[in-house]
Amino acid sequence: MSLHLTPLVIVFTILATAFAALLSQMALAVFNDGVRPFLLDFYRGELARPQMTAIAFGLSAGFIFGLGVPVAFSSGVLNPWVLFLPSDILGILSPRKWIAPILGAAWGAVVVFGLSAATTAANSLPVNFLTAMQQMSTPILYLFSFFPAVAVTMQFGRLRGIITFVVSIFVMLFTMKWLPSVFPGATTMAIGVILLVAFAVAEEVTRARSERQKAQALQATEAASPGAASAEEDDPPASASALASAADDETSSIFAANAARLRRHAPYFMIMGLLLGVLVNTHMFAGGEATSYVIAKGQFANAAQIDFYRALGFIPLIVTTAVASGAFQIVGFTLIYPVAYLLPNPILAAIAGALLFGIEVFILSYIAKGIAALHTIRDASDNIRNAINLTLEVAILFGSLAAGNAMASGLGIAIVGGLYALNEVLGRPVVRMAAGPVGVIIAGIALNLLAYAHLFTPIPIK
């Protein structure tokens, strides 16, 4: 496996990382959702630049080297973890605005030229662990398809979860037998998401009806009351209500100010959308772990479907953190992925990306209000996000063990699995999702050293 990057990909990768670093330096946007809540204090000067840089690095390093780099190596497709988590750090680190894009561009150049050189070097080793890492694709593609069943179980209990899982299995079997040209994971995810949304809407309707009935019952009780309570009894609730109202007004004021700040900088986000639109449209950049492998196989419609479902889980998180912190997501609502995958050329993708990001910034406040009102839908989004993380952790672990097996059969499984278990008992110095790929890389290096020392005979990797 090697990275074959065209001049267009190289240029727009460097431009995208440069501009992303500028946005993070200005505290306008970062890719890491965990970093974003700290940016309001950083923007106000309550967090010093060295402190903010340390936070960004601590929350991002494991994903850069444990997930972003291995997925890029094994799929041959770039991803946001390897591009934009470092640009977050470099932008925040930069003391001057003009320094940030220089550092960001330098990182983009390191990625496009360094990864290509590294893959070429790895392909010449006795044990080609990059080829072995392609074994990760099958578990990720198929297990990821069942995240809706996991999300349903988390939110609606065992019965509905089991029903969703069984229906998903039958849909996958049906697709594999009668629709061989269609990726079975796509139809499986589709039916799972449909069931999840149906359950969520039904629950929301039931909740709204119940609240309406309670309100009507309370009004009837107050109307039937013989008299009002004494002033002394009324004062404490009134005071509490006034305090709560004041707190809500203050919070709303902060959120409105943050949303207004983002709208004022809409041209910056539109430029970022333009750059991302072109980069995604080249099909050498993907939005997620699963879609990296799907894009590598040339299945762009399936990749669009996967990233659209992923967006359902992340839009509420992106919106709420954006209005709370005054900082947007570098990749917007992530809808740029399914849109740009399917557009026929980079020019249309650039226009669509700019328009999409502009619209997203201007409707932030409205979506935030809608999310606050729809409790069940908001919970469903949280559960989608958690289910995606859970299924990917399992899939990446299985894929890492398969890669270990491809490199050295039982010995490879022992090294990769042993490193994963060791990481767990040591308190996860490497985040769980990244522990498997890191184990594969370490195992690959160790096996190559053993091969050069004539202590291990490499086996052909298919």
Side-chain angles (χ1 to χ4, degrees), residues 263 319 333 358-368:
R263 287 195 295 272
V319 170
F333 290 172
I359 293 169
E360 289 174 358
V361 169
F362 276 94
I363 64 175
L364 269 173
S365 297
Y366 302 103
I367 297 180

Side-chain angles (χ1 to χ4, degrees), residues 24-60 88 92 258 261 317 320-328:
S24 65
Q25 198 279 339
M26 298 171 66
L28 284 175
V30 289
F31 177 74
N32 193 323
D33 294 317
V35 171
R36 199 172 306 117
F38 295 96
L39 286 184
L40 183 60
D41 291 337
F42 176 58
Y43 173 69
R44 290 172 169 174
E46 296 171 9
L47 267 178
R49 192 170 295 277
Q51 293 174 301
M52 191 66 229
T53 303
I55 290 170
F57 181 82
L59 292 174
S60 302
D88 288 352
I92 293 168
N258 289 337
R261 176 176 181 254
L317 174 66
T320 52
T321 55
V323 296
S325 67
F328 201 34

Side-chain angles (χ1 to χ4, degrees), residues 193-274:
V193 170
I194 289 170
L195 289 172
L196 173 61
V197 172
F199 291 144
V201 170
E203 192 85 5
E204 187 68 34
V205 170
T206 302
R207 186 191 65 80
R209 185 184 297 118
S210 175
E211 289 184 355
R212 189 165 56 250
Q213 290 172 349
K214 288 179 181 178
Q216 291 172 350
L218 181 60
Q219 289 175 355
T221 301
E222 290 176 351
S225 176
S230 64
E232 292 79 11
E233 293 173 341
D234 285 344
D235 282 344
S239 300
S241 175
L243 290 172
S245 177
D248 288 343
D249 289 344
E250 183 179 359
T251 301
S252 298
S253 176
I254 293 172
F255 285 6
N258 289 337
R261 176 176 181 254
L262 294 176
R263 287 195 295 272
R264 286 197 305 271
H265 291 89
Y268 285 88
F269 299 115
M270 293 178 72
I271 293 171
M272 192 71 227
L274 182 152

Side-chain angles (χ1 to χ4, degrees), residues 87-236:
S87 70
D88 288 352
I89 300 168
L90 294 171
I92 293 168
L93 174 68
S94 303
R96 297 286 184 272
K97 190 182 294 187
W98 61 270
I99 297 176
I102 295 174
L103 294 180
W107 175 253
V110 168
V111 170
V112 294
F113 296 114
L115 281 180
S116 294
T119 53
T120 301
N123 288 334
S124 65
L125 294 173
V127 180
N128 189 335
F129 58 90
L130 296 186
T131 300
M133 289 182 75
Q134 295 177 40
Q135 300 291 326
M136 295 170 59
S137 64
T138 301
I140 289 175
L141 291 176
Y142 283 88
L143 285 175
F144 185 78
S145 305
F146 289 91
F147 81 81
V150 177
V152 168
T153 307
M154 288 177 172
Q155 185 164 357
F156 302 109
R158 298 176 184 175
L159 179 59
R160 294 182 186 180
I162 291 171
I163 290 172
T164 306
F165 180 79
V166 171
V167 170
S168 299
I169 286 288
F170 276 108
V171 168
M172 180 170 280
L173 287 171
F174 176 88
T175 305
M176 295 173 76
K177 185 171 180 61
W178 283 287
L179 300 172
S181 61
V182 177
F183 173 55
T187 53
T188 303
M189 276 186 290
I191 192 65
V193 170
I194 289 170
L195 289 172
L196 173 61
V197 172
F199 291 144
V201 170
E203 192 85 5
E204 187 68 34
V205 170
T206 302
R207 186 191 65 80
R209 185 184 297 118
S210 175
E211 289 184 355
R212 189 165 56 250
Q213 290 172 349
K214 288 179 181 178
Q216 291 172 350
L218 181 60
Q219 289 175 355
T221 301
E222 290 176 351
S225 176
S230 64
E232 292 79 11
E233 293 173 341
D234 285 344
D235 282 344

